[in-house]
Amino acid sequence: MGALIVYLAYMGLQLFVVDHVSPLTFLFSSNFAPDEKHPGALVFIIGSVTITLFAICVGGPLGVAVGIFLSLLAPKRLAGAMKPAIEILVGIPSVVYGWLGLTLLVPLVREHAGSQTGFGLLTAGIVLSIMILPTVVSLSEDALRAVPVALQEGSMSLGATRWQTIWNVLLPAARGGLTVAVILGIARAIGEALAVQMVIGNSAVLPKGLLAPTAALTTEIVTDMGSAQEGTVLFHSLFSMALLLLLIAMALIFAVRLALRRSA
Amino acid sequence: MIIRLLTAIALTMFVIPAAAAADTQITAAGSTALLPLVKQAATEYSQAHQGIDISVSGGGSYVGIAQARSGAAELGDSDVIAPGNSGLMDHKVAAVGFAVIVNPSANVSSLSSAQIRAIFSGRTTNWKDVGGTDQGIVIINRPRTSGTRAVFNATMMGVSKINEAGLTVDSSGTVVTTVASTPGSISYVALAYTRGKPITVAKINGVAPSEGTIVTGKYPIWSYEHIFTKGKPSSDVADFINYIASNTGLLEKLGYIPISRMKVKETNR
């Protein structure tokens, strides 16, 4: 694992050390022209961040809400049946989500959302929202179940309603675990390549709105890796994008640990 | 995810061929414009020759060139000549025309070179400006791995730059399905892919693509299809390449043109 990180860092920094491309160009230019030694990756960074934010804004609250329902409100039988079902959903390969997105969602967005193509940020965001849902549901359910029953009973016996108990007692008590659920959802969303590539449109231009096609860091690596000759600027910039993804993932892991430590 | 993906690719590239190593194993990869021909030829050839197993995949012309160069594939299929002095040996196997295809909703059946340039460079953005319906134009591009894109760029675009704002799809087959399903879309693809599909093949400067118009150079978008090998090919590989290039019946059936029929030189177009 350590060797992998070192290798990725070494290859990812070649762009700046060997090709003398400014990190500012890489991070803040929207013109991706590796043939002209100008590999601006801003489009892909914005693409990745936007669809991830979209996914977590939709899938996060929804996932936690379902988690609350399953752990506290649902009849035992229903909750017992739902849990394995959701765990199976976590394991569905991303190509299946991408395929469903391409065949069901793209025509739907094309016909009802006012987009001419149906490909773009919105479609990719919806696919990701659905993809992260099982992860968020499963983890937030576990987090809420881990809250001592005594807290719930104490709150109820003081005359609090069920809603007051959930909002004022259970959610704060499970805060750490819920944060972990959301962060792992983010991690799944930002790292997803295949499903996103199938529905985002893959054009290296800044999107003019949620309906416009664009590209993300992961999809750009997939699209161009086949033709990238070793030692070229394109080859190095793909490694720099991979390094950037690794750094984001590492930051998220540290965030998880921080959240866990705080709640402990 | 990326690591998983790379592992998967490494597996398909190395482990699976190795598992079948009992037979003579030939792998071909690259141009999706050439893919239908190589795939069909491979099926027929391995049926006729016991113990020779040929696996064929796409990826794009520049992927084919890269894989032939690295040795990951014995045959690198490409619509374009390998750049630079690469140590690759070039085998021309056929000529192929490329169609400019349009979604039927645009109601356009013929375009001039200048109109095509204007559309693909992003200057013309509505079909009504070129005699079609009042509908936005969606450009569907191939990525930089594509030889079809390189051929289209070289024959049609001149100094104009292709606008990237539309969609980018990564194989010839996907181009056709995307154009068929996206209203107002336009793209470019090898003629072999256009048969019997719900798309409009545009005439260029009034000329429809056909063998007759391509061999005389009247129709502008065509190229030789190349198979590259790293140095001199083994006798099995050379025999297979020869089988593809000389199989006139198969070439015709799939919409390719035997090289001997070409009257116009690639450099003179």
Side-chain angles (χ1 to χ4, degrees):
Chain A
M1 191 61 210
L4 195 91
I5 295 173
V6 170
Y7 177 71
L8 210 50
Y10 173 76
M11 293 304 291
L13 292 173
Q14 298 272 309
L15 184 67
F16 313 116
V17 179
V18 178
D19 302 326
H20 303 294
V21 170
S22 155
L24 296 177
T25 306
F26 178 72
L27 289 174
F28 299 114
S29 165
S30 62
N31 178 19
F32 188 67
D35 302 340
E36 295 152 30
K37 271 196 135 187
H38 192 93
L42 184 67
V43 172
F44 314 126
I45 297 170
I46 288 179
S48 280
V49 170
T50 314
I51 54 175
T52 303
L53 279 180
F54 185 100
I56 214 62
C57 288
V58 175
L62 201 61
V64 173
V66 177
I68 292 172
F69 173 74
L70 288 180
S71 57
L72 306 169
L73 307 173
K76 255 208 175 117
R77 258 214 187 138
L78 180 66
M82 288 284 280
K83 184 138 180 85
I86 284 168
E87 278 161 1
I88 288 170
L89 285 179
V90 177
I92 290 183
S94 53
V95 66
V96 176
Y97 285 104
W99 178 243
L100 291 175
L102 186 64
T103 50
L104 296 177
L105 205 55
V106 167
L108 210 67
V109 171
R110 181 163 57 224
E111 273 145 43
H112 300 290
S115 148
Q116 201 180 343
T117 63
F119 293 87
L121 283 174
L122 178 70
T123 319
I126 296 174
V127 168
L128 281 184
S129 307
I130 298 168
M131 281 185 73
I132 66 167
L133 208 53
T135 309
V136 179
V137 169
S138 191
L139 288 169
S140 51
E141 187 192 348
D142 290 348
L144 285 162
R145 279 193 196 283
V147 176
V149 185
L151 283 180
Q152 192 179 353
E153 286 168 349
S155 170
M156 295 292 225
S157 64
L158 285 172
T161 61
R162 193 147 72 167
W163 170 248
Q164 285 170 328
T165 304
I166 291 172
W167 189 252
N168 295 319
V169 178
L170 295 175
L171 284 184
R175 200 183 51 209
L178 293 177
T179 315
V180 174
V182 170
I183 290 174
L184 286 178
I186 297 178
R188 169 131 209 224
I190 201 151
E192 180 49 43
L194 198 54
V196 174
Q197 200 213 11
M198 290 163 85
V199 298
I200 199 171
N202 303 312
S203 54
V205 285
L206 281 176
K208 290 203 187 88
L210 266 185
L211 293 173
T214 184
L217 285 167
T218 48
T219 64
E220 178 57 23
I221 294 175
V222 174
T223 306
D224 272 343
M225 65 183 178
S227 65
Q229 295 282 325
E230 218 166 300
T232 58
V233 175
L234 175 62
F235 187 77
H236 291 154
S237 44
L238 294 187
F239 266 104
S240 301
M241 288 182 215
L243 179 64
L244 190 59
L245 279 167
L246 178 77
L247 291 177
I248 294 171
M250 279 165 75
L252 289 174
I253 301 294
F254 281 119
V256 173
R257 308 205 90 179
L258 209 66
L260 281 175
R261 198 171 306 159
R262 233 196 241 163
S263 72
Chain B
M1 188 59 224
I2 290 159
I3 297 165
R4 223 194 291 163
L5 207 77
L6 285 177
T7 320
I9 287 163
L11 278 176
T12 45
M13 268 165 41
F14 303 111
V15 178
I16 294 170
D23 294 337
T24 303
Q25 181 75 29
I26 302 174
T27 48
S31 165
T32 52
L34 190 54
L35 184 68
L37 176 60
V38 179
K39 222 174 188 169
Q40 187 59 34
T43 311
E44 291 179 9
Y45 190 84
S46 28
Q47 268 166 10
H49 297 75
Q50 279 280 310
I52 291 188
D53 207 7
I54 307 170
S55 65
V56 184
S57 62
S61 294
Y62 290 99
V63 174
I65 291 170
Q67 294 213 352
R69 192 174 285 164
S70 71
E74 278 90 6
L75 308 180
D77 307 337
S78 171
D79 316 336
V80 290
I81 294 168
N85 184 7
S86 51
L88 293 178
M89 197 167 171
D90 181 3
H91 313 266
K92 284 184 194 171
V93 291
V96 71
F98 293 90
V100 169
I101 56 172
V102 181
N103 183 279
S105 68
N107 203 17
V108 163
S109 61
S110 184
L111 291 163
S112 71
S113 299
Q115 284 171 334
I116 292 174
R117 249 193 312 281
I119 288 170
F120 277 94
S121 59
R123 278 177 284 139
T124 301
T125 55
N126 194 305
W127 285 113
K128 71 174 194 279
D129 298 333
V130 290
T133 47
D134 182 7
Q135 187 179 44
I137 296 176
V138 179
I139 301 170
I140 296 178
N141 271 311
R142 296 284 308 281
R144 72 188 91 238
T145 46
S146 163
T148 301
R149 178 184 167 127
V151 171
F152 177 78
N153 198 27
T155 52
M156 295 307 291
M157 294 307 286
V159 290
S160 303
K161 258 185 111 173
I162 292 181
N163 185 335
E164 304 286 349
L167 306 175
T168 306
V169 302
D170 57 11
S171 76
S172 299
T174 322
V175 164
V176 175
T177 48
T178 312
V179 170
S181 63
T182 309
S185 57
I186 182 169
S187 190
Y188 40 81
V189 71
L191 267 177
Y193 280 88
T194 61
R195 294 182 171 187
K197 300 282 163 51
I199 46 171
T200 307
V201 174
K203 288 181 188 163
I204 299 178
N205 302 323
V207 180
S210 70
E211 184 173 321
T213 55
I214 291 167
V215 298
T216 52
K218 267 193 200 146
Y219 184 81
I221 321 176
W222 65 275
S223 78
Y224 286 117
E225 289 296 322
H226 307 262
I227 292 181
F228 290 103
T229 54
K230 194 177 187 180
K232 217 169 160 314
S234 70
S235 62
D236 284 334
V237 171
D239 192 50
F240 176 58
I241 293 174
N242 187 41
Y243 175 83
I244 300 176
S246 60
N247 197 334
T248 316
L250 184 64
L251 291 171
E252 275 175 351
K253 195 177 95 191
L254 297 176
Y256 299 85
I257 301 169
I259 287 185
S260 55
R261 294 191 195 157
M262 294 305 292
K263 297 187 185 109
V264 62
K265 289 254 163 58
E266 197 166 24
T267 46
N268 300 349
R269 62 185 163 211

